[in-house]
Amino acid sequence: MTAEHPRTLRLLHVEDNIGDVRLVAEALKEAGWVHQIVVACDGVAALDYLHRRGRYIDASRPDLILLDLNLPKKSGLEVLAEIKSDTRLVHIPVVVFTTSSSPLDISRAYGLHASCYVTKPADLDDLFHVIAIIAKFWLNTAELPQAIGP
Amino acid sequence: MHWFKDISIKRKLTGIVIVTSTAALLLAGAASFIYERLTFPKNLSHDLASLAGVVGSNSAAAIIFNDDKTAAETLSALQAMPNIVMAQVYRKDSTVLASYLRRGEPLTTLEAPKGFSGENFTPSYVEVFRPISVGAEKVGGIGLRSDLRAREERLWAYGQAGLVVLCLCLLFALGVAGVLQRVVSLPILNLARIARGISEEHDYSKRAVKDTRDEIGSLVDSFNNMLTQIEARDSALIHAQGELEQRVRDLQTEVDERQRAEKGLAVKTAELQRSNAELEQFAYVASHDLQEPLRMITGYTQLLAKRYHDKLDETAAEFIGYAVDGAKRMQGLINDLLTYSRVGTRGKPFAWAQCDKILGDTIVSLRVAIEESGATVTHDALPTVLCDEGQLGQLFQNLLGNGIKYRDSTAPRIYVSCRREGPNWLFSVKDNGIGVDPRYAERIFVIFQRLHTRDQYPGTGIGLAVCKKIVERHGGKIWLESQLGQGATFYFTIPASQNAEGG
């Protein structure tokens, strides 16, 4: 079903725990994800990637961002705030994907215009299920904006 | 008369004496003046008549001999009488034989009356006419005019004398006033001096000396009486003031002590709050950070089982099962710990809320469990209380959930009621479940304490610990009354209205 998407999409997964990165990748693979996955291990790296700085000079803009909140150097909420205050990045949907189910984090994330907020399930099956839903929604249900400009 | 009130008694006395004596003198002077003024012309006319008699008899011969020169000489003797203005000697036929005019007077005539006898009184002079007789025969007449200068002189002399007397009188009056002052105003001045001294030195033990038994004497008595009373009151006042000061000092000491105690208490409370907050923050952060590795354990163990189940034997699958189960239980414990710590860290400020509505919402959210167990939940009218609505809901949910969970073979019946007990609302949640051995009535509120194995009743042992923490945050107490196998009744109190802490 996902393979039907007309173009190759790019997902930026901002996550410091490589175990989680791998689990999400496995879950996406199981959900039939054929698109590109880029990983940034901390908030600063994520912003460097988005702004095409340093070693990300040739990076392409992602179509979707999966953002953890507990990040080294710069927190997920700070990254979110910077994305949503930058006219070149503001249109990219950001899915907050974190262990925290704190109402404060949830309201702050939506206050910073997160597209949605998903708590990481502890159970593997639940995790795979949730990832499948996210992939299906953003690939097949929602329309994503076309990448504009270089 | 107002000025009179303001001058000193000494002056008043002097003034009264002077006015009295002056008035008496003036009255006497006026009386003699009037008397003199009225009687003088009469007396003068008597004198003039005698003079006319003398001068007339001296002029008789000159008239008889018609000797005007002699008559004029006789008359000129009148120069010795300065008040005589004019004199004329008349012949028998009333013609003037000789005249006398005081030097400087204008020449006029004295009209002699018939018979040469009479007196004329005018405001400025007196005229007297007398016949001149030799034997029985009237030979002529004489007329004298006298001015009233003598009267003026006499009155002037009276006036001078009066003035001198007046001066003497005034001197005397001053003397009398001095004496009177010593008698009357000195005691009063003494009294005033003592009063002034008392008011300046506040020494109410002084007394005025009583010299006389008159009005001033009774004034001194009254004054001394008043002083006695003031002295008594003053000493009472000083005594009361001393007591008051002592009381103020005591109060101040008490206030200081209380302030010190309050300060100490505030410091301790702050310390406690800080350590509490730190502890809760620690529990919260630890729970969160513990979740991550745990999720890795469960995730990858499950992934292992999922991907390699065909390559592993049954023992491996069993081991993996224990690992996943352990990790999941750990997860549950951490979640419970998180819930527990959130009662303190994520509590909302208190607001008035209807317990009927809160309980209604709880029953709705427990609908599935209620329907599955066939439970009946009934309740009385519940009050409106100051609380964290969400936490009170959680409290009801945990207690109701407990009642449903720990049931025996019969369908659970849960009854919630509330009554006022002193300053608190006393809530009770009664069930017909398995009950609790009274030995464990307190232990069940301790976190992670369980009375049953997970096989019998699932759970981590957090529910009642959370209940206790919620009730205590609201300033209440929670306890259990139960017998094994006879159901249980949970009681908890919520202050009816007070400054409940919003921690």
Side-chain angles (χ1 to χ4, degrees):
Chain A
M1 48 178 182
T2 47
E4 290 162 12
H5 212 273
R7 61 191 175 92
T8 302
L9 299 179
R10 196 174 291 108
L11 170 75
L12 174 63
H13 189 191
V14 189
E15 171 66 68
D16 61 322
N17 184 352
I18 53 162
D20 257 336
V21 169
R22 183 62 196 270
L23 272 185
V24 167
E26 291 295 330
L28 280 171
K29 204 199 291 177
E30 211 155 280
W33 180 275
V34 294
H35 303 285
Q36 193 185 349
I37 300 173
V38 185
V39 175
C41 289
D42 60 64
V44 171
L47 289 169
D48 282 349
Y49 180 86
L50 289 167
H51 288 124
R52 294 170 181 159
R53 288 188 295 236
R55 62 192 178 102
Y56 298 112
I57 194 96
D58 297 322
S60 303
R61 290 259 152 75
D63 296 285
L64 182 66
I65 300 171
L66 200 60
L67 180 66
D68 188 17
L69 290 188
N70 283 318
L71 293 173
K73 295 183 186 173
K74 227 168 209 178
S75 81
L77 289 173
E78 284 174 282
V79 173
L80 181 61
E82 278 199 39
I83 291 170
K84 294 302 173 188
S85 61
D86 190 324
T87 49
R88 291 164 304 171
L89 305 173
V90 70
H91 61 277
I92 305 174
V94 177
V95 175
V96 174
F97 193 61
T98 177
T99 350
S100 167
S101 55
S102 140
L104 197 65
D105 283 343
I106 295 169
S107 73
R108 274 183 187 162
Y110 282 114
L112 291 168
H113 308 294
S115 301
C116 66
Y117 189 107
V118 180
T119 307
K120 286 178 192 170
D123 187 80
L124 186 78
D125 292 337
D126 294 345
L127 179 78
F128 276 39
H129 181 61
V130 162
I131 291 294
I133 289 173
I134 291 172
K136 192 179 169 192
F137 177 78
W138 290 105
L139 284 181
N140 296 356
T141 312
E143 293 287 351
L144 291 172
Q146 296 292 312
I148 43 164
Chain B
M1 278 304 275
H2 194 267
W3 58 271
F4 187 74
K5 291 178 185 168
D6 295 338
I7 60 174
S8 70
I9 289 179
K10 180 181 175 182
R11 287 199 180 173
K12 274 179 194 158
L13 285 172
T14 313
I16 287 166
V17 170
I18 286 173
V19 166
T20 314
S21 52
T22 307
L25 265 176
L26 284 179
L27 273 177
S32 42
F33 179 83
I34 291 165
Y35 176 79
E36 193 61 33
R37 205 179 155 86
L38 289 179
T39 56
F40 186 82
K42 209 77 187 162
N43 293 339
L44 186 63
S45 75
H46 279 295
D47 291 350
L48 285 179
S50 316
L51 191 64
V54 173
V55 175
S57 58
N58 285 344
S59 306
I63 294 169
I64 294 168
F65 294 106
N66 201 21
D67 183 355
D68 56 340
K69 278 188 183 156
T70 309
E73 273 174 27
T74 309
L75 283 180
S76 67
L78 289 171
Q79 280 174 14
M81 308 285 285
N83 62 313
I84 303 296
V85 179
M86 199 177 173
Q88 284 185 320
V89 176
Y90 308 96
R91 300 186 187 93
K92 200 176 180 176
D93 55 359
S94 295
T95 54
V96 176
L97 177 66
S99 291
Y100 164 77
L101 258 182
R102 199 169 61 192
R103 189 172 300 213
E105 296 291 329
L107 183 63
T108 53
T109 51
L110 285 168
E111 282 297 327
K114 255 199 175 140
F116 303 112
S117 186
E119 280 116 23
N120 272 339
F121 296 96
T122 73
S124 48
Y125 49 83
V126 175
E127 292 171 349
V128 173
F129 297 93
R130 285 287 177 270
I132 300 169
S133 306
V134 176
E137 187 194 356
K138 201 183 276 181
V139 291
I142 184 166
L144 294 175
R145 176 189 281 176
S146 169
D147 61 17
L148 298 172
R149 187 195 291 170
R151 186 175 70 175
E152 261 81 66
E153 280 170 0
R154 187 180 287 209
L155 287 178
W156 179 239
Y158 274 1
Q160 281 175 324
L163 207 63
V164 170
V165 171
L166 187 63
C167 287
L168 288 173
C169 267
L170 287 182
L171 280 176
F172 180 71
L174 282 175
V176 169
V179 173
L180 277 177
Q181 184 232 334
R182 248 194 303 283
V183 174
V184 176
S185 68
L186 255 189
I188 294 174
L189 285 177
N190 272 337
L191 210 58
R193 188 170 44 77
I194 290 168
R196 198 164 47 243
I198 288 167
S199 76
E200 278 167 5
E201 294 164 25
H202 302 289
D203 179 5
Y204 299 107
S205 60
K206 285 186 179 172
R207 291 291 179 272
V209 180
K210 183 182 175 183
D211 293 325
T212 57
R213 289 189 187 179
D214 56 5
E215 291 90 334
I216 291 168
S218 65
L219 180 65
V220 168
D221 279 344
S222 302
F223 181 74
N224 286 342
N225 274 342
M226 190 180 74
L227 278 182
T228 309
Q229 285 181 19
I230 289 176
E231 192 182 12
R233 281 196 200 171
D234 190 51
S235 70
L237 205 64
I238 287 168
H239 183 68
Q241 193 179 347
E243 273 186 2
L244 208 62
E245 277 171 1
Q246 185 55 43
R247 230 181 268 178
V248 167
R249 270 196 297 276
D250 290 351
L251 266 176
Q252 190 57 48
T253 316
E254 207 179 312
V255 166
D256 286 348
E257 274 172 13
R258 262 191 215 179
Q259 277 176 346
R260 242 195 321 279
E262 272 170 21
K263 214 180 254 178
L265 202 66
V267 168
K268 271 187 190 156
T269 307
E271 271 175 18
L272 208 64
Q273 276 173 348
R274 197 171 53 244
S275 80
N276 240 2
E278 274 173 7
L279 206 66
E280 277 164 353
Q281 190 62 24
F282 171 77
Y284 181 72
V285 169
S287 313
H288 252 102
D289 292 348
L290 287 175
Q291 300 262 36
E292 288 282 331
L294 216 54
R295 267 188 35 260
M296 292 300 97
I297 296 167
T298 48
Y300 280 98
T301 320
Q302 283 180 301
L303 195 58
L304 208 60
K306 191 173 176 167
R307 291 276 166 87
Y308 301 96
H309 61 96
D310 47 349
K311 295 193 175 94
L312 297 169
D313 60 10
E314 257 181 42
T315 317
E318 193 191 342
F319 290 176
I320 286 175
Y322 287 135
V324 170
D325 183 54
K328 278 188 177 171
R329 255 192 305 124
M330 182 78 171
Q331 194 101 44
L333 290 171
I334 289 170
N335 275 332
D336 287 347
L337 210 56
L338 209 57
T339 310
Y340 186 73
S341 76
R342 274 179 188 160
V343 173
T345 55
R346 296 293 182 261
K348 301 240 170 8
F350 292 171
W352 290 100
Q354 290 177 306
C355 292
D356 285 321
K357 184 187 169 295
I358 297 173
L359 184 65
D361 292 347
T362 307
I363 292 170
V364 168
S365 73
L366 284 171
R367 201 180 53 214
V368 176
I370 291 172
E371 280 171 4
E372 277 175 5
S373 60
T376 329
V377 180
T378 52
H379 67 92
D380 291 345
L382 301 179
T384 298
V385 297
L386 194 61
C387 67
D388 179 336
E389 193 175 337
Q391 292 191 345
L392 210 62
Q394 195 175 359
L395 175 65
F396 279 129
Q397 180 155 350
N398 288 2
L399 292 178
L400 260 53
N402 258 26
I404 294 168
K405 186 159 98 177
Y406 296 101
R407 62 176 182 262
D408 53 22
S409 50
T410 58
R413 283 197 314 279
I414 301 167
Y415 170 58
V416 182
S417 85
C418 181
R419 67 184 148 91
R420 186 66 180 266
E421 192 140 281
N424 297 312
W425 290 110
L426 176 64
F427 288 82
S428 64
V429 179
K430 182 179 167 62
D431 64 49
N432 60 339
I434 57 171
V436 176
D437 187 329
R439 273 186 296 172
Y440 306 123
E442 283 185 26
R443 200 172 149 185
I444 57 167
F445 291 104
V446 179
I447 189 167
F448 298 146
Q449 288 292 329
R450 292 173 48 78
L451 301 178
H452 310 278
T453 64
R454 282 191 309 282
D455 301 334
Q456 288 175 296
Y457 295 98
T460 53
I462 190 72
L464 290 175
V466 169
C467 287
K468 185 165 190 268
K469 206 167 177 194
I470 288 173
V471 170
E472 281 173 355
R473 184 179 168 234
H474 284 74
K477 278 194 285 191
I478 186 167
W479 68 95
L480 169 73
E481 282 177 14
S482 178
Q483 289 295 329
L484 201 57
Q486 292 174 13
T489 306
F490 284 95
Y491 293 96
F492 67 90
T493 60
I494 300 282
S497 72
Q498 65 168 63
N499 302 328
E501 45 157 328

